[in-house]
Amino acid sequence: MKLICGPMATISHPAFRILVEKFGGCDEYYTEMINAGTLLTGGPFEKYYIDPAPVPQKLVWQLTGKSSELMIEAAKMLVKLPGLGLDLNMGCSAPDIYRYGAGISWMTKPREETLEMVRGVSRVVNEYEGEKKRLSVKLRLGDEDFTEEGFFSFCDMLVKEGVELLTLHPRTKKEKLTRTPRYSYCQQLAERYKCSSASSAQEKSVAVYLNGNVKDMASYDYAVAAAPSVDGVMISRAAVQKPWIFRELKGDVDFKTVSEPEKVDLQELALSYIDDVEKYQPPEFWKTRLQRFFTYFSQNFKFAHYAQTQFLNAADNNDLRTRVVDFFAKCPGERFLEL
């Protein structure tokens, strides 16, 4: 079973991948959404979005955009970069992304419009003369009025046009994270594309990843039990709180049999992360990237609210470093975590 680090705005950049790799990493890393229009116009920050460090061989470039033309032209740029392939975001349900015409709006647009975009991007990937790249789609169940027939028909269309992997977050557009994911749809997708059937779309072997609510071994076991035929499990927010979660789930022999529990110095981890954000992100991004990270990372502590308040209110990076050291000085029992 593959383990995948999902795409997260302001998080899925080189500094975060470096952090996860310190604990053995995962099988694949998805980038944060790359806006097709901004990429094509050559904005001043685009080079930071397409930096493949530190493990380009594990990278999947996630593309978003509002029109077929923009998506196809942007795909021509991304396919030349190192990595496993391109992923089309059809699952982001953030209101501003949906209103823009990107993300999950591709599941609600007229079918022909989405078909044109997928067919065009697929052609770009297939005609690329360099190293073979994979085309994938990350999606949800659809809008609130979705039907099983419509959902599976939509997936069949994607597969027929050359999509080789589907990552399903089994919730609708408006369903929040508190709603239990309907993992049964992940299982049905996996069975649909691994079994022979009368449909030409269904005759193809297509991988399926499960995404949603996996945050520890118990929730991982629950998800895999509900969808045992999926090829991988994608984890996002939980990996920010616990960058070692993939190591935990892989159950590495050396990790399980050490005579003494491994201790993680959370102060050193936090300080090194700040350093890497400064190294791999522009100054204009430092505050938002660090605030987002520490919002989740603070959940490791018994005094989580206090830690979060201290870290998020830092005036600048040096102040944040001071606050990190002060926090652990006041709460020394929080500094070392036994894995």
Side-chain angles (χ1 to χ4, degrees):
M1 184 75 67
K2 288 185 177 181
L3 294 174
I4 303 94
C5 191
M8 294 172 280
T10 74
I11 290 289
S12 300
H13 47 69
F16 181 66
R17 294 192 288 271
I18 288 171
L19 178 58
V20 176
E21 282 292 305
K22 289 179 179 179
F23 297 95
C26 58
D27 295 299
E28 298 179 12
Y29 293 94
Y30 278 51
T31 67
E32 59 184 310
M33 291 186 296
I34 298 170
N35 185 284
T38 308
L39 180 67
L40 291 170
T41 56
F45 303 119
E46 296 317 297
K47 65 180 180 180
Y48 297 99
Y49 285 94
I50 58 176
D51 184 341
V55 281
Q57 70 276 13
K58 294 183 180 181
L59 217 57
V60 179
W61 304 99
Q62 191 178 74
L63 182 62
T64 188
K66 64 179 180 179
S67 73
S68 298
E69 180 181 5
L70 292 175
M71 295 284 279
I72 293 169
E73 290 303 311
K76 294 177 182 178
M77 297 178 64
L78 293 180
V79 76
K80 298 176 183 178
L81 300 177
L84 296 170
L86 275 63
D87 183 77
L88 305 177
N89 185 297
M90 297 187 187
C92 182
S93 60
D96 55 338
I97 299 295
Y98 176 71
R99 288 193 295 267
Y100 176 68
I104 199 172
S105 65
W106 285 106
M107 296 189 73
T108 61
K109 292 180 181 184
R111 180 68 62 89
E112 285 302 314
E113 185 176 350
T114 303
L115 174 62
E116 176 189 11
M117 184 272 287
V118 176
R119 180 173 293 170
V121 173
S122 180
R123 185 179 302 115
V124 169
V125 173
N126 290 329
E127 293 178 355
Y128 177 59
E129 296 181 354
E131 185 179 0
K132 174 71 170 65
K133 299 295 173 63
R134 182 184 72 194
L135 178 60
S136 60
V137 170
K138 188 173 186 294
L139 72 167
R140 288 189 174 227
L141 294 172
D143 214 335
E144 306 315 293
D145 60 351
F146 92 99
T147 64
E148 290 191 359
E149 180 181 3
F151 170 71
F152 288 117
S153 173
F154 184 85
C155 293
D156 285 347
M157 178 271 289
L158 297 177
V159 171
K160 185 176 180 180
E161 295 304 323
V163 172
E164 303 169 80
L165 163 69
L166 297 171
T167 300
L168 178 62
H169 183 109
R171 292 185 173 102
T172 62
K173 179 166 72 74
K174 292 184 179 180
E175 285 178 341
K176 305 301 181 183
L177 297 178
T178 52
R179 165 69 189 255
T180 302
R182 301 181 229 186
Y183 294 135
S184 62
Y185 284 105
C186 297
Q187 177 63 16
Q188 290 180 64
L189 271 187
E191 292 176 347
R192 188 177 186 87
Y193 299 122
K194 288 182 179 177
C195 301
S196 299
S197 69
S199 167
S200 60
Q202 297 171 23
E203 288 173 0
K204 298 184 179 182
S205 178
V206 175
V208 174
Y209 291 167
L210 173 154
N211 174 230
N213 276 38
V214 176
K215 56 187 177 181
D216 51 27
M217 185 62 77
S219 55
Y220 172 83
D221 288 341
Y222 176 81
V224 172
S229 298
V230 298
D231 301 273
V233 173
M234 177 179 283
I235 300 172
S236 300
R237 292 172 178 83
V240 189
Q241 178 185 348
K242 302 186 294 182
W244 51 85
I245 190 171
F246 299 107
R247 183 173 180 176
E248 176 184 322
L249 297 179
K250 284 189 292 186
D252 292 341
V253 174
D254 61 344
F255 176 58
K256 291 294 185 181
T257 62
V258 288
S259 57
E260 295 291 335
E262 180 176 350
K263 288 187 177 181
V264 178
D265 185 339
L266 297 181
Q267 175 177 299
E268 189 281 330
L269 187 155
L271 294 176
S272 65
Y273 186 75
I274 298 170
D275 292 342
D276 284 333
V277 166
E278 290 180 342
K279 181 178 179 180
Y280 288 98
Q281 296 288 278
E284 294 89 343
F285 286 6
W286 290 351
K287 184 174 183 178
T288 55
R289 268 61 179 157
L290 289 168
Q291 284 185 332
R292 182 83 185 279
F293 172 78
F294 280 103
T295 295
Y296 292 110
F297 188 67
S298 296
Q299 299 307 308
N300 286 302
F301 309 127
K302 294 178 182 177
F303 301 100
H305 179 70
Y306 172 71
Q308 188 179 105
T309 300
Q310 291 301 304
F311 301 155
L312 269 58
N313 287 334
D316 54 35
N317 288 2
N318 286 332
D319 184 32
L320 177 57
R321 290 184 175 95
T322 299
R323 287 168 179 258
V324 167
V325 174
D326 286 348
F327 171 76
F328 289 109
K330 294 176 180 177
C331 309
E334 302 272 36
R335 178 169 176 176
F336 294 96
L337 178 70
E338 290 188 354
L339 298 183

